[in-house]
């Protein structure tokens, strides 16, 4: 921008491709979070007609989805329901949630056409689907007593590489107590939300 004032496109192209895609992904995630919050608030935790479910998510690319109807609703539970990360190859649920996408886009001064018709190949915005509810697996926990607030409670990868062990407490009954939790979440679920 110093060399070419007001040439924002050229300035933006100086950022790496992966960093540029973060802007698109952030908008998609923001829209998804708003729609998911609305979905739970207004439609609850049961499957309703108009929800989307993935037919086969083992394929590469955008999975095929089906719309829940009164006829097939008994086949699904809330863990089957997905919402789109909107893009050129996704569809909206046939419910009030699709209006949330439009409202939030409007607030952001972005249109669906902008996402679908991105001319820059670096901004491929095909979209995807995320499950509304994700059940963690491999859940375990244990209680740990320790006496140093700055001491790591588990061995980090760096500590493993450097051969640094986790130090135990100095006496028999350390004053501090922690719960160490382990679990596995599918991508793109977040540990902070689970905890």
């Amino acid at each position: 921008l110093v060399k070419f004032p007001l040439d924002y496109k050229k300035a933006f192209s100086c950022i790496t491709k992966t960093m540029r895609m973060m802007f698109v992904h952030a908008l998609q995630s923001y829209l998804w979070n708003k729609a998911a919050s609305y979905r739970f608030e207004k439609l609850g935790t049961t499957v309703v007609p108009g929800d989307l479910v993935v037919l086969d998510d083992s394929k590469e690319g955008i999975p095929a989805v089906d719309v829940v109807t009164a006829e097939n609703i008994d086949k699904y539970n809330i863990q089957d329901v997905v919402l789109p990360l909107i893009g050129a190859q996704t569809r909206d649920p046939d419910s009030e949630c699709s209006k949330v996408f439009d409202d939030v886009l409007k607030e952001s001064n972005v249109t669906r056409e902008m996402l679908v018709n991105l001319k820059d190949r670096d901004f491929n915005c095909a979209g995807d689907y995320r499950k509304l509810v994700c059940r963690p697996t491999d859940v375990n926990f244990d209680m740990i007593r320790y006496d140093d607030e700055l001491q790591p409670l588990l061995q980090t990868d760096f500590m493993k590489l450097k051969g640094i062990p986790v130090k135990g407490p100095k006496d028999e009954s350390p004053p501090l107590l922690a719960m160490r939790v382990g679990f596995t979440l599918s991508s793109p679920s977040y540990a902070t939300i689970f905890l």
Side-chain angles (χ1 to χ4, degrees):
L1 289 175
V2 170
K3 289 181 182 178
F4 306 98
L6 303 178
D7 191 348
Y8 299 111
K9 184 173 183 179
K10 190 170 196 158
F12 194 67
S13 69
C14 293
I15 302 170
T16 63
K17 176 183 175 181
T18 52
M19 289 302 293
R20 290 192 308 261
M21 281 306 297
M22 291 291 287
F23 290 91
V24 175
H25 293 159
L27 176 63
Q28 288 176 309
S29 292
Y30 178 70
L31 291 166
W32 189 95
N33 288 332
K34 288 288 194 178
S37 295
Y38 180 89
R39 167 64 178 76
F40 279 119
E41 183 181 315
K42 299 293 183 186
L43 303 176
T45 58
T46 58
V47 180
V48 297
D51 280 338
L52 297 177
V53 291
V54 171
L55 291 176
D56 179 12
D57 69 327
S58 63
K59 295 178 184 174
E60 291 293 321
I62 307 300
V65 293
D66 192 18
V67 178
V68 174
T69 63
E71 292 77 34
N72 68 7
I73 197 167
D74 293 336
K75 290 173 39 179
Y76 303 110
N77 65 52
I78 196 67
Q79 293 176 44
D80 298 316
V81 176
V82 296
L83 283 175
L85 286 166
I86 65 169
Q89 297 178 24
T90 59
R91 66 170 293 171
D92 285 358
D94 291 341
S95 70
E96 303 161 35
C97 289
S98 61
K99 186 176 179 326
V100 173
F101 288 121
D102 291 328
D103 291 346
V104 175
L105 282 169
K106 188 174 181 179
E107 290 170 12
S108 305
N109 293 319
V110 176
T111 65
R112 287 176 186 265
E113 290 74 32
M114 288 176 181
L115 292 172
V116 170
N117 297 325
L118 287 170
K119 302 275 190 263
D120 191 336
R121 288 184 327 168
D122 287 349
F123 288 109
N124 179 5
C125 192
D128 203 355
Y129 296 94
R130 279 189 192 162
K131 289 198 178 234
L132 194 56
V133 174
C134 170
R135 183 178 296 275
T137 58
D138 307 320
V139 178
N140 61 67
F141 73 94
D142 61 335
M143 304 304 288
I144 304 169
R145 289 203 168 273
Y146 62 106
D147 53 19
D148 182 356
E149 293 175 354
L150 301 178
Q151 173 64 36
L153 299 179
L154 55 97
Q155 193 176 32
T156 65
D157 290 340
F158 177 77
M159 292 168 69
K160 287 177 189 173
L161 286 172
K162 296 293 185 180
I164 303 168
V166 174
K167 296 177 186 167
K170 294 176 187 145
D171 58 37
E172 296 294 319
S173 58
L176 302 171
L177 181 65
M179 178 187 287
R180 180 171 43 195
V181 181
F183 52 88
T184 301
L185 293 173
S186 62
S187 178
S189 302
Y190 295 96
T192 50
I193 300 299
F194 168 67
L195 291 171

